[in-house]
Amino acid sequence: MATLTIRLPEDKHNRLKELAQTKGISVNKLIEELSTIAIAEFDTCTRFKAMAAIGNPEEGLRIVAKLDTLIE
């Protein structure tokens, strides 16, 4: 496991401590969870862009329209 040192404004650090306390976890665990979310979002965006580059726009719009009917 790696060690990471970051510099944050004091007020942001205090807010992160409060958030961690409300979740019942350490700031370290909170940062680990937040970084996992960020990586998942990045991977999803990267995969979407790769698929869009080789995809069919008409088919994509058809799928979105179908999803819209399911949500309404």
Side-chain angles (χ1 to χ4, degrees), residues 2-20:
T3 300
L4 173 68
T5 302
I6 59 171
R7 297 188 195 293
L8 295 172
E10 194 67 33
D11 60 325
K12 190 174 288 186
H13 179 249
N14 289 335
R15 297 283 312 273
L16 288 170
K17 285 196 307 191
E18 290 174 21
L19 177 58

Side-chain angles (χ1 to χ4, degrees), residues 8-68:
L8 295 172
E10 194 67 33
D11 60 325
K12 190 174 288 186
H13 179 249
N14 289 335
R15 297 283 312 273
L16 288 170
K17 285 196 307 191
E18 290 174 21
L19 177 58
Q21 286 175 344
T22 63
K23 294 174 73 91
I25 59 176
S26 67
V27 173
N28 186 67
K29 183 66 176 171
L30 177 66
I31 298 300
E32 183 182 342
E33 288 180 3
L34 294 173
S35 64
T36 298
I37 292 168
I39 291 168
E41 288 177 358
F42 174 76
D43 289 348
T44 300
C45 184
T46 301
R47 184 169 184 265
F48 177 82
K49 287 179 181 178
M51 291 178 70
I54 61 172
N56 179 325
E58 292 79 21
E59 179 67 9
L61 291 172
R62 187 189 67 73
I63 292 169
V64 169
K66 184 176 180 180
L67 290 172
D68 284 344

